[in-house]
């Protein structure tokens, strides 16, 4: 396919070659090809870069023969042709045009116009929740995502703050009420996306049974990245045990992506199957299966995140002897003492891996 136009032009711009070019674009129209697909395949046909942009913006979408579709601008020598409405395409053939370039530009413009019209109709029919799902979808056509942002009233360069939350719908409604003014919200897979123009408060109220992951601030055009970060942070969070803050670090009710540091990489690189092979995680599963398993694991979370048993006992509202008894029982199953060097770090890693395994559905 690469450089087909070059070979056809070498045969002269006769009727047979012209029909092949027309047929090429007719197939794209019949297949309902998205804009990015039209760009990529046209670049392959032409053997050079092509692009599309709105007439009121310098930057658009560009595809080259061996490069995926990306943001770009036309060089000053590119051939440009208008596309209804408010768009233009370009062809980056440097030097002498080929005999079939005029036909290619004509059919490229027509096919792009059809794809733009189809995309606009698709987006115009979406409600706000569906628009937000489109805006955070990293696999969606870039131009459709940009159109969704326009429909949502989100300037592409404007900063947004993105939260991923998990909980019953009624609890998410309660969370949304305490999160401040929202620009948009929607269910996305097994989680809920909440987007705000303002940072989410440090003392955010998280209803019992709900957990939250919060991304770094990003421009609205980077919502897929923001949603990825929020979803990763959510996997490290634990269900809230009370409706009102303050929440201690060990409670991990609202986890912020920047605070994860290197732990964030684990979420994308460790599969549930690999985590299941970790002996320390298997020991935690054994402890969890016991009658008081949930309380034992909560005790271990607190102990792993504090500097002493007495501090852990204060946070847990228990006598330090009670905490020590739980820890001694857990150490027999874990196979190591928490008094050993780096033992608490080892325990925290196992606890984190277990969270990631059990929250794989949010990935």
């Amino acid at each position: 396919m690469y450089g087909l136009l070059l070979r056809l032009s070498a045969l002269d711009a006769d009727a047979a070659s012209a029909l092949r070019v027309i047929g090429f674009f007719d197939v794209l129209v019949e297949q309902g090809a998205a804009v990015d697909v039209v760009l990529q395949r046209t670049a392959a046909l032409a053997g050079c870069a092509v692009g599309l942009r709105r007439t009121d913006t310098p930057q658009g979408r560009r595809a080259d023969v061996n490069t995926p579709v990306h943001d770009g601008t036309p060089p000053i020598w590119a051939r440009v042709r208008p596309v209804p409405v408010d768009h233009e395409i370009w062809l980056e053939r440097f030097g002498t045009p080929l005999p079939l370039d005029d036909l290619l530009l004509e059919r490229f413009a027509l096919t792009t116009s059809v794809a733009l019209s189809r995309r606009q109709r698709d987006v115009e029919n979406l409600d706000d929740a569906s628009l937000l799902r489109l805006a955070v979808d990293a696999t969606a056509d870039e131009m459709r995502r940009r159109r969704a942002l326009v429909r949502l009233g989100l300037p592409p360069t404007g900063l947004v703050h993105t939260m991923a939350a998990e909980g019953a719908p009624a609890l998410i409604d309660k969370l949304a009420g305490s999160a401040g003014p929202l620009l948009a919200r929607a269910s996305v897979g097994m989680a809920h996306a909440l987007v705000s123009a303002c940072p989410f408060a440090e003392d955010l109220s998280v209803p019992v049974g709900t957990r939250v992951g919060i991304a770094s601030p990003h421009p609205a055009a980077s919502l897929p990245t923001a949603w990825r970060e929020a979803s990763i942070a959510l996997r490290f969070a634990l269900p809230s045990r009370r409706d009102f803050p303050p929440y201690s670090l060990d409670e991990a009710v609202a986890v912020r992506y920047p605070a994860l540091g290197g732990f964030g990489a684990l979420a994308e690189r460790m599969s549930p199957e690999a985590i299941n092979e970790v002996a320390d995680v298997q020991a935690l599963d054994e402890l969890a299966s016991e009658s008081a398993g949930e309380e034992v694991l909560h005790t271990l979370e607190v102990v792993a995140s504090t500097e002493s048993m007495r501090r852990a006992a204060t946070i847990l509202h228990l006598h330090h002897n009670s905490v020590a008894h739980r820890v001694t029982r857990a150490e027999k199953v874990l196979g190591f003492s928490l008094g050993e060097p780096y033992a608490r770090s080892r325990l925290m890693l196992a606890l984190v891996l277990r969270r990631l395994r059990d929250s794989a559905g949010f990935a």
Side-chain angles (χ1 to χ4, degrees):
M1 175 61 72
Y2 294 146
L4 173 60
L5 199 69
L6 294 170
R7 297 195 297 274
L8 292 177
S9 292
L11 299 175
D12 197 7
D14 57 21
S17 297
L19 285 174
R20 291 187 67 181
V21 173
I22 293 170
F24 174 87
F25 286 103
D26 284 350
V27 169
L28 292 179
V29 172
E30 290 171 4
Q31 291 176 341
V35 170
D36 281 5
V37 174
V38 173
L39 290 172
Q40 194 71 72
R41 294 188 182 177
T42 301
L45 172 70
C48 65
V50 300
L52 167 72
R53 68 177 177 181
R54 290 183 59 87
T55 53
D56 58 356
T57 58
Q59 194 168 57
R61 299 289 283 168
R62 178 181 182 273
D64 208 339
V65 176
N66 295 310
T67 306
V69 179
H70 56 280
D71 291 343
T73 55
I76 57 174
W77 41 263
R79 296 189 64 184
V80 179
R81 188 182 185 105
V83 177
V85 174
D86 302 326
H87 286 77
E88 60 187 16
I89 58 166
W90 74 82
L91 176 72
E92 298 182 27
R93 172 115 40 229
F94 187 75
T96 305
L98 296 180
L100 291 173
D101 276 353
D102 285 339
L103 177 62
L104 179 137
L105 278 167
E106 175 189 321
R107 306 308 296 187
F108 179 25
L110 287 171
T111 305
T112 303
S113 178
V114 171
L116 286 169
S117 177
R118 182 184 297 111
R119 183 187 64 202
Q120 182 169 347
R121 287 196 304 272
D122 289 346
V123 175
E124 292 294 339
N125 291 332
L126 298 178
D127 58 19
D128 284 355
S130 298
L131 289 169
L132 181 55
R133 281 190 283 270
L134 174 58
V136 303
D137 184 358
T139 66
D141 176 79
E142 175 68 17
M143 302 291 270
R144 289 188 75 228
R145 289 199 297 104
R146 293 297 181 105
R147 182 62 183 165
L149 293 179
V150 172
R151 287 283 317 282
L152 288 168
L154 302 179
T157 58
L159 278 185
V160 294
H161 300 266
T162 307
M163 174 191 297
E166 187 269 330
L171 297 179
I172 299 300
D173 290 341
K174 188 176 179 180
L175 172 67
S178 67
L182 295 177
L183 299 171
R185 56 176 288 196
S187 60
V188 182
M190 296 175 62
H192 297 263
L194 292 81
V195 178
S196 174
C198 304
F200 296 109
E202 293 288 341
D203 60 349
L204 178 71
S205 295
V206 181
V208 172
T210 307
R211 51 182 171 165
V212 167
I214 299 173
S216 305
H218 285 279
S222 297
L223 266 173
T225 299
W227 178 244
R228 170 183 151 271
E229 290 182 0
S231 298
I232 288 174
L234 178 62
R235 295 185 61 190
F236 288 86
L238 296 172
S240 174
R241 290 169 165 253
R242 45 201 175 83
D243 287 328
F244 301 104
Y247 304 105
S248 58
L249 183 63
D250 60 274
E251 290 179 278
V253 170
V255 176
R256 295 176 183 268
Y257 182 80
L260 290 175
F263 279 105
L266 293 175
E268 296 183 302
R269 290 166 175 79
M270 290 290 288
S271 68
E273 294 76 20
I275 293 173
N276 274 333
E277 297 297 320
V278 178
D280 290 350
V281 174
Q282 294 171 1
L284 291 176
D285 287 340
E286 182 179 339
L287 288 169
S289 67
E290 298 178 354
S291 57
E294 183 178 345
E295 291 304 318
V296 170
L297 288 188
H298 181 52
T299 299
L300 293 177
E301 292 272 0
V302 177
V303 169
S305 61
T306 53
E307 69 281 3
S308 69
M309 293 289 186
R310 290 189 179 275
R311 175 58 182 157
T314 299
I315 293 173
L316 292 166
H317 304 292
L318 293 171
H319 192 278
H320 71 274
N321 286 338
S322 298
V323 174
H325 176 74
R326 290 182 182 179
V327 168
T328 299
R329 165 70 188 117
E331 287 174 337
K332 293 178 180 177
V333 178
L334 289 168
F336 60 90
S337 169
L338 293 184
E340 297 173 2
Y342 303 107
R344 294 188 185 215
S345 297
R346 176 179 172 181
L347 173 60
M348 179 56 75
L349 178 58
L351 290 164
V352 165
L353 288 175
R354 191 169 183 273
R355 285 188 217 175
L356 291 178
R357 182 201 62 191
D358 293 347
S359 62
F362 300 117

